[in-house]
Amino acid sequence: MIPERLELVLRDGTPVVARPLTPADRAMVAEGYRRLSPEARYQRFWVREGKVIGDAMLDRLLSGKPSEHAVWTVFDPTRKDFPGMGAASFWRSEEDPAEAEFSVTVLDADQGRGVATLLLAVLWLVAYRHGIGRFTGYTMPENVKALRWMRDTGAEGEWDGYNAVFRWNLADLDKLPETPAGADLAARLAELSEVML
Ligand SMILES: CC(C)(COP(=O)(O)OP(=O)(O)OC[C@H]1O[C@@H](n2cnc3c(N)ncnc32)[C@H](O)[C@@H]1OP(=O)(O)O)[C@@H](O)C(=O)NCCC(=O)NCCS
């Protein structure tokens, strides 16, 4: 069974909670979007202007059949101001149901703490349970952090003429690279497999 809430600890000892986002989280997601740096907003949502997420994007993000689409957040429940740290989603491909498009955003101040790797591990296992075998992620060529993180977590990249296209093979649980992010992902997958598979 896929749990509705996971209590976990980051590498630096911070206790965090991971859970799926629902339509009731509309205001929180809009606030998280507002708090992103223009750079992070552009890198994830490909939008240069404005701090307000559109209604159509919110509707698309927060609805959909669980087997076709998942969106999870990680937050620090002790943080008074804004607990959200990041969120990730996948959408299953209509043409190829064995594949899903994966994307992730972490608030700038929380980057480099293992939040994206944690979200990747959660969605990896959710997708795997629904019979999805591959994640595809799209990144701009200048997004060095994402390029590196994707490669370091085991995705294989190619250039489609506009963007870098990365693919994680979700069956390759035991073939993750020996990078810090790869080791982090392997440890998270092992930890979460106990409760999610
Ligand atoms: C790319 C992105 C998602 C990475 O998120 P993140 O939460 O910083 O990723 P992680 O912390 O899990 O991993 C990043 C690095 O920090 C390292 N790290 C993780 N925990 C750490 C810790 N406690 N101490 C030191 N380093 C740590 C990881 O090993 C990894 O290093 P590497 O990439 O050199 O191998 C984030 O930069 C982001 O949101 N960017 C804007 C949106 C975007 O580009 N999205 C991707 C396209 S969809």
Side-chain angles (χ1 to χ4, degrees), residues 24-135:
D25 294 310
R26 219 174 157 87
M28 188 181 84
V29 175
E31 179 59 17
Y33 184 88
R34 200 186 66 75
R35 286 171 180 252
L36 286 175
S37 67
E39 189 190 28
R41 198 178 299 125
Y42 180 54
Q43 286 165 344
R44 164 61 184 86
F45 294 94
W46 312 71
V47 174
R48 277 223 187 267
E49 303 296 330
K51 289 182 161 192
V52 180
I53 188 169
D55 277 339
M57 171 61 83
L58 272 171
D59 290 342
R60 184 168 138 74
L61 204 57
L62 297 175
S63 59
K65 269 171 58 184
S67 58
E68 310 303 307
H69 167 58
V71 54
W72 282 63
T73 184
V74 165
F75 64 97
D76 174 350
T78 67
R79 213 144 70 178
K80 296 276 180 291
D81 181 21
F82 182 72
M85 302 174 104
S89 59
F90 72 70
W91 271 275
R92 191 174 204 144
S93 157
E94 284 177 18
E95 293 81 47
D96 180 0
E99 182 162 327
E101 185 177 334
F102 171 84
S103 9
V104 57
T105 325
V106 176
L107 287 182
D108 297 72
D110 291 309
Q111 292 184 9
R113 304 180 69 191
V115 175
T117 305
L118 171 49
L119 283 163
L120 174 61
V122 171
L123 288 194
W124 184 303
L125 295 174
V126 173
Y128 200 63
R129 274 199 64 131
H130 287 296
I132 293 167
R134 280 188 314 280
F135 272 165

